[in-house]
Structure formats: structure tokens, C-alpha cells
Amino acid sequence: MNANASGYRFGSQSVSGQGTADANSAEAADASTIFANPAGLTRLDGIQFTGGITGVIPHSKYTDHGSTNFVGKPTGGVTETDDFAPKAVAAPNLYASAKLNDQWAVGLGMFVPYGAKLDYDNNWAGRYALTKIDLKSATFNPTVAFKLNEQHSFGFGIDAEYMKAELGQAVDVPGSIYALSTNPALAANSAALQQAMAMAMIKAGANPATVAATLKATLAAAKDGHATMDGKDWGVGFNLGYMFNYSQDTRFGFSYRSSIHHKLKGGANWDFSQVTTDASVNAILQQSSRKKNSPALVDLRTPETLSVNVFSQIDPKLALMGDVTYTRHSRLKDLNIQFVGTGEGDEVISQQWDNSIRASLGMNYKLDEAWMLRAGVAIDTTPVPNESKRHAALPDSDRYQFSLGANWKLSANSSIDLAYTFMHFDDANSTYKNNCSPLAPAGTCTGNGETTVGTWKTRMHLLGLAYNYKF
């Protein structure tokens, strides 16, 4: 989640920012400027504290248009679903700042930079691509700012980022059995596999006279296997900010947040226990598929962002602001899930994302001494380049944001921020194809070879609440 980008980011780092569609990066309204533009710390007096939480309420519907397995047969299963997104998730943020003297200020921010949580039905039509994703992250951002003179201020921060991810997917055992039984080129492999399963069944107590018929019926009713992969890691990056005071009422800002390198280390677990009703057959099927539990590793880099922002106090009541952010999503190439120590090839989620632009405009209006109203709009382009790269883990598309907010002053030292956002996504069509057959030779690749063909329709509501205090 990030106020300044598409992809896995949704704008939950600042409630005051959310109220303007995150157009207020050059405002430095409170200590959350640590995230938006750390140079803004020099504008804050004394010691300030901001603690907030944003509730993200998504709604998404998927309609399948003909997903197939690696042999071109329909995957079957649920073709229309709308209960895979959570009812709501909460993203907290916490900031503190302290002005040391007329030139120096320091701060500490803690926020959620990314997030994704989808849990599809294990029998949905796209299950061979994904059954679930759960991505969690948190960033700790100690920051220092320096005011050179009345016009120029600079900020610098270290980003210590924790990331944890879990993926689930079905394993296409029925498709593999079908291919082995119908492809003449695989007849020898099929015969050897059936002989091994028959011998295992006899050893387990099956009647030799009826084992062939029993095995045939057992394989005809075979179901999917299932895989779960997880990993976690700490990574370190940095962020920079610059603020130029053009006049007493107008200022410009530039901010940069670096890429962070993560090596997510965890494990891969394969479950074939429910494929058939015969445990000995399941064991042979898992062994022949070469799917075994092992350590797992994913190497990735998060995208860096570069923002240009402006804030202008038009009169004592009205302020206008804007922000344009460029995100280098092209950092995110293919995601290669490595199965360490197995000798098997990687499972590849093909992304090949494009870079993206987000533009926002916002305003503040001081209604009276207690209330300041906020509003903003934003357009955010998706990094997904085309339908063939739109994976079920992130069915992203261009999004349009409409926000309202308010600051309610409780006393001279405390206030509450409120914000509401509606986010509309363009229809997200997919023709994503995995290029690895589950019958690929040992050591080449891992995958189901599926093609996911369908459309996601998504909208999202965000509700933000924050408390601010000045010492």
C-alpha cells in the first residue's frame, strides 16, 4: 500500500494525505510528512505525534471466460466469484517528530508500504495459477531534516522494511493423468507409473485380481493436489526530500524513495493427501511429480519512486496542492520461486511490469477555527502492461481516486483527522498463460501450464482516522 503508486500499494500511510488524494506532499501538515517528503520536518514546531489507521474495504468480482489447463481442457470449477477479497483490512501508521533547533529536526515513521490479501475458492477456475496470496509488510523510517535557510530544506531517512508473503495454488494432477493416458509419446511413462501404483496397492493389501480395475476407477476420480509457499525478509533502503519555499505561501517539493532488495526465505509444502482415496496411490503420484517439501526462495526488488509536488495557500481559507509521482515498476521482472536443494526448476510468475505515473490534485478549506475541510482526486496508471501479464495474484488496472477529509481541532495542541476515499478500477481482463507443463523434464521448470482467461471488476473504499498532538 502506498499513496504514490499502483500495484500492491493503496494509500494508507497518512490520513491527512488521504483526504487530499495524497496531493499534499509539500504541505507538511503533520509528522506524516516523514513518508511524503521528509524535508517538511523543518516546518513542524516542537514535538509532534500522529497515529492513524486506515480501513481498506475492497469489493471485487471475477468472471471466467474459458480458463484451460495445460492440455487445453477447461479447468472447470467456479466460474464466477466475489468473496475472495477480505471484508476489510486495517493498515496502521505512527509518526513522531522533534524540532531540535532552528535548522535541525528528527523523526520516526512506522507504516505499511505494501499489502495484498486474496483467498480464492480452492475450486475456482483459476486455481492452477493461484488459490491465495497474503502479503504483509511494515517499514520503520528514522529521518533527519536540515533547513539551510528560509528557502531550502533537505530531508533524509533510512527505510528498514519487513516483508512476509504466502502463496497457495492447486496442482493439476487430473490433467497430468489425462495427458499420460492419451498421449502416445508418453505411453511408456504411463505404463511404468501404473505398474508402480498397482504394486503399491497390492503391497497395501489390495486384491491382485481386481487391482487394475480398482486403479482405473481411482485415477478417474483423481482431484487436485495443493501447494503452499511462504517467505519473509528484512531489507534496507532510503528516502530523500527537498523543499523550496518560493514565497511565504507557495512551496515546491521533490522526494525520492529507493528500491529495496528482498530475499524472501521460507518453505514450499506439497499436499497430495486428498488426490485419491488411496494413500499408496497418492504417494506414487507425488513421487512421480517430483513435488517434495523443501526450502523456498524468492529474490525481488521493490520499485523506487520520484515525486514532484506543490502547495500554495491562496488566501487565509483556501489552499491548493498537487503531486506527480513516477514509479519504476520495471524493477519487478519475473518472480522466480526457487525450490532450494531439490534440483527442480523455478516456478515463474511472469510480471514484466511497466513504469507508472500517478497524478493528484487537492485542496484545503478552512471552514472556521475548529474545522478544515479537504478534498482531492487522483489518476493512477497500472504497471500491468497487458492482459497476458495480468496474474490472479494482482489483477490490477488503472484506478481513479476521489477523496474527502477533515481536520477537527480539539484544542490548541490536539486534533483529529478524518478521511474517506472511493477508488474505482477499470475492468481487468486476463489471458495469463504459464509456460511450464507439469510433465516437463526434471530440472527444467515447475508449473501447471494453465491459461487464466477472465475479468475482474473492482472498487474500494478507504476510511481513515488519526489523532495528532503537539507538545
Side-chain angles (χ1 to χ4, degrees):
M1 307 176 190
N2 185 332
N4 300 319
S6 293
Y8 292 98
R9 302 180 171 186
F10 292 102
S12 58
Q13 292 77 31
S14 167
V15 177
S16 61
Q18 182 193 336
T20 65
D22 302 294
N24 74 332
S25 297
E27 182 183 9
D30 52 51
S32 67
T33 191
I34 290 169
F35 172 80
N37 187 333
L41 282 176
T42 61
R43 299 188 59 83
L44 303 181
D45 294 326
I47 297 174
Q48 299 198 18
F49 164 88
T50 296
I53 190 165
T54 299
V56 181
I57 307 167
H59 183 271
S60 188
K61 179 179 180 180
Y62 172 81
T63 303
D64 196 73
H65 300 309
S67 295
T68 58
N69 67 4
F70 74 102
V71 294
K73 292 176 66 66
T75 58
V78 177
T79 59
E80 191 167 285
T81 178
D82 63 359
D83 62 354
F84 53 89
K87 299 296 184 183
V89 293
N93 57 74
L94 182 65
Y95 301 91
S97 68
K99 190 170 187 178
L100 303 181
N101 53 43
D102 289 340
Q103 288 189 300
W104 291 94
V106 295
L108 175 65
M110 291 175 281
F111 51 86
V112 176
Y114 305 94
K117 187 176 178 64
L118 300 174
D119 193 351
Y120 297 96
D121 192 299
N122 281 349
N123 193 39
W124 81 294
R127 64 193 178 278
Y128 297 129
L130 189 81
T131 55
K132 68 176 180 179
I133 178 173
D134 190 358
L135 173 66
K136 296 182 174 73
S137 63
T139 296
F140 299 87
N141 192 183
T143 305
V144 62
F146 175 72
K147 182 179 178 180
L148 181 63
N149 53 39
E150 292 304 316
Q151 285 189 306
H152 305 284
S153 295
F154 304 87
F156 173 77
I158 297 293
D159 300 310
E161 182 175 275
Y162 175 76
M163 185 179 291
K164 180 180 181 180
E166 181 180 350
L167 297 175
Q169 66 180 174
V171 180
D172 190 5
V173 179
S176 299
I177 292 172
Y178 175 84
L180 285 166
S181 63
T182 58
N183 189 338
L186 301 174
N189 291 343
S190 180
L193 180 60
Q194 290 194 48
Q195 183 179 10
M197 288 188 289
M199 292 298 293
M201 291 173 70
I202 293 171
K203 188 176 181 180
N207 185 345
T210 60
V211 70
T214 302
L215 176 59
K216 182 177 180 180
T218 299
L219 293 178
K223 300 177 181 178
D224 297 328
H226 197 267
T228 301
M229 307 154 200
D230 60 29
K232 57 187 177 182
D233 183 53
W234 280 93
V236 178
F238 66 93
N239 62 306
L240 304 171
Y242 167 71
M243 200 166 284
F244 171 68
N245 291 315
Y246 177 76
S247 67
Q248 184 177 354
D249 297 321
T250 301
R251 53 189 173 273
F252 298 90
F254 300 89
S255 55
Y256 171 83
R257 193 169 288 274
S258 76
S259 172
I260 296 178
H261 182 207
H262 283 285
K263 286 189 175 183
L264 301 178
K265 297 178 181 178
N269 294 282
W270 307 88
D271 182 6
F272 279 59
S273 64
Q274 303 300 313
V275 171
T276 75
T277 56
D278 192 303
S280 60
V281 171
N282 294 343
I284 295 295
L285 287 171
Q286 182 165 359
Q287 182 181 10
S288 66
S289 73
R290 306 184 307 274
K291 304 292 194 299
K292 59 182 180 180
N293 296 347
S294 70
L297 173 67
V298 177
D299 198 319
L300 63 86
R301 283 187 175 276
T302 64
E304 60 262 58
T305 61
L306 178 64
S307 301
V308 180
N309 26 80
V310 61
F311 176 89
S312 184
Q313 190 71 46
I314 304 302
D315 59 39
K317 287 185 174 291
L318 178 66
L320 301 179
M321 62 207 75
D323 179 278
V324 176
T325 295
Y326 168 85
T327 304
R328 192 182 175 188
H329 281 296
S330 58
R331 285 280 192 187
L332 192 59
K333 305 293 185 183
D334 291 344
L335 290 179
N336 290 57
I337 304 173
Q338 304 170 44
F339 305 103
V340 181
T342 65
E344 290 302 306
D346 299 347
E347 178 161 358
V348 178
I349 297 177
S350 180
Q351 303 270 55
Q352 301 295 326
W353 279 359
D354 290 337
N355 301 322
S356 69
I357 295 288
R358 183 183 193 277
S360 58
L361 293 173
M363 61 173 286
N364 293 340
Y365 184 79
K366 188 173 182 180
L367 188 63
D368 54 35
E369 290 303 312
W371 286 93
M372 183 172 69
L373 306 181
R374 299 185 173 111
V377 295
I379 299 175
D380 199 352
T381 60
T382 180
V384 179
N386 52 58
E387 295 179 5
S388 68
K389 298 298 182 184
R390 184 169 283 115
H391 191 270
L394 187 71
D396 191 48
S397 60
D398 290 349
R399 61 185 72 170
Y400 308 90
Q401 179 176 341
F402 308 89
S403 291
L404 296 172
N407 177 264
W408 177 26
K409 184 176 289 187
L410 302 175
S411 68
N413 295 328
S414 63
S415 67
I416 289 176
D417 282 309
L418 305 167
Y420 166 76
T421 293
F422 174 73
M423 203 173 286
H424 172 78
F425 293 71
D426 285 345
D427 288 357
N429 298 313
S430 173
T431 56
Y432 181 91
K433 179 176 175 56
N434 182 296
N435 292 318
C436 179
S437 164
L439 299 179
T444 54
C445 63
T446 300
N448 284 311
E450 79 288 343
T451 301
T452 306
V453 183
T455 301
W456 285 266
K457 295 178 181 289
T458 302
R459 62 183 184 272
M460 188 175 296
H461 303 271
L462 287 81
L463 297 171
L465 173 67
Y467 178 74
N468 313 295
Y469 193 85
K470 302 178 182 179
F471 294 91

